[in-house]
Amino acid sequence: MEERRIVILTGAGISKESGLETFRDPDGIWAQVRIEDVATPEAFARNPERVHAFYNHRRAGLQADAVLPNAAHDALARLERDWPGEMLLVTQNIDDLHERAGSKALIHMHGELLKARCLACGAVSPWHEPMTLASLCPACGTAGTLRVNVVWFGEMPMEMERIYDALGVCDLFVSIGTSGNVYPASGFVAEARNNGRAHTVELNLEPSEGHSLFDEAHYGPATEVVPAFVERILKDGW
Ligand code: BV8
């Protein structure tokens, strides 16, 4: 059991109880704004101020005092610390709650809200303030060339090769707090199953789009089901 490898995928549901909105729940972000207006390269080309305003609002919200890692983020950081084999945490979330909880082996496949990317020099820099068309790139000093360092619809998610390599050899794949609507993350469970040895587990508030592909599922709030699952894995494996 000691050498066994774990891959964990998280989505917006894990950060809901920290005070951040999900996307596709009835009160979620996509019920308030249209993807085509704020989360595509075409939207940014058409109306950069609108896209900056959308992310400025979410960046300020993420940095509010009340938004903190919850028991589910803490449990995954503990699993990484205490699991004797390898563990990779892949998050679709652009918040920084996993790293604040202490996770280290972490891939932000959809990028990070608290970073800016310069379209002139390519530099990625920490960014905590509102972004405007007058903002200067901290690396090259050019004005008007910054965008938030997230992956929009139609763009390639980050570090896909590393993710598929890990899915190809994992023994346990766990999907947490994601509706399974967005490709390629929605295909990770099938990829893990195809390696011929992975046990697949869904932890979510409700069955996701791909729920039938999981060997095991536990439904409830992430702050309850994730710590309980981690406790069991560390004690008894799967
Ligand atoms: C790509 C980042 C090529 C920034 C986001 C048709 C037309 C055009 C495109 C497509 C198409 N069909 C497919 C596509 C591809 C497209 C796609 O999937 N579209 C969908 C909508 C059909 N995908 C792409 O374009 C991707 N790129 O495909 O490139 C490629 C790639 C690989 C290999 C070859 C080629 C890029 C997608 C990136 C999108 N970026 N945003 C930002 O945040 O603004 S999307 C957005 O969705 C977020 O990033 C989010 O993380 C992601 C997934 O959502 P979830 O995290 O699952 O959130 P959701 O609200 O849906 O679900 C929450 C769940 O939590 C629910 O199930 C709920 O019940 C549960 N929950 C709620 N509360 C709790 C809880 N669970 C536990 N506890 C709780 N308390």
Side-chain angles (χ1 to χ4, degrees), residues 42-233:
E42 294 78 17
F44 188 61
R46 210 166 42 236
N47 192 344
E49 289 98 335
R50 170 86 177 86
V51 175
H52 281 322
F54 174 66
Y55 288 100
N56 287 343
H57 177 71
R58 289 172 64 195
R59 191 183 295 106
L62 175 57
Q63 295 178 92
D65 290 344
V67 174
L68 297 167
N70 64 46
H73 299 102
D74 291 343
L76 295 183
R78 176 183 168 217
L79 182 60
E80 183 186 335
R81 268 195 314 273
D82 293 353
W83 180 248
E86 284 175 32
M87 174 178 147
L88 178 66
L89 178 55
V90 180
T91 187
Q92 299 169 86
N93 299 341
I94 61 173
D95 67 55
D96 63 345
L97 297 179
H98 282 306
E99 43 272 62
R100 280 203 247 164
S103 288
K104 303 262 186 285
L106 170 67
I107 292 177
H108 276 280
M109 65 176 289
H110 289 166
E112 294 169 86
L113 183 55
L114 298 181
K115 290 190 178 160
R117 185 160 85 241
C118 177
L119 297 172
C121 74
V124 173
S125 313
W127 197 271
H128 293 83
E129 306 300 321
M131 194 179 284
T132 71
L133 291 179
S135 298
L136 303 180
C137 169
C140 70
T142 312
T145 54
L146 291 184
R147 59 164 280 183
V148 62
N149 191 40
V150 303
V151 177
W152 288 320
F153 287 92
E155 296 185 318
M156 184 62 86
M158 297 176 183
E159 302 203 53
M160 290 309 298
E161 202 176 320
R162 230 179 111 201
I163 296 171
Y164 283 124
D165 283 351
L167 291 168
V169 295
C170 71
D171 301 286
L172 175 67
F173 172 77
V174 189
S175 173
I176 302 173
T178 176
S179 63
N181 274 287
V182 176
Y183 176 85
S186 55
F188 289 174
V189 59
E191 194 72 23
R193 282 177 79 91
N194 285 346
N195 80 15
R197 63 202 232 199
H199 180 68
T200 55
V201 181
E202 166 157 279
L203 307 177
N204 205 33
L205 202 54
E206 60 195 6
S208 70
E209 284 292 312
H211 69 93
S212 59
L213 291 173
F214 292 92
D215 300 315
E216 180 184 338
H218 302 276
Y219 298 114
T223 56
E224 293 175 18
V225 293
V226 177
F229 182 75
V230 165
E231 190 70 38
R232 186 194 102 196
I233 290 300

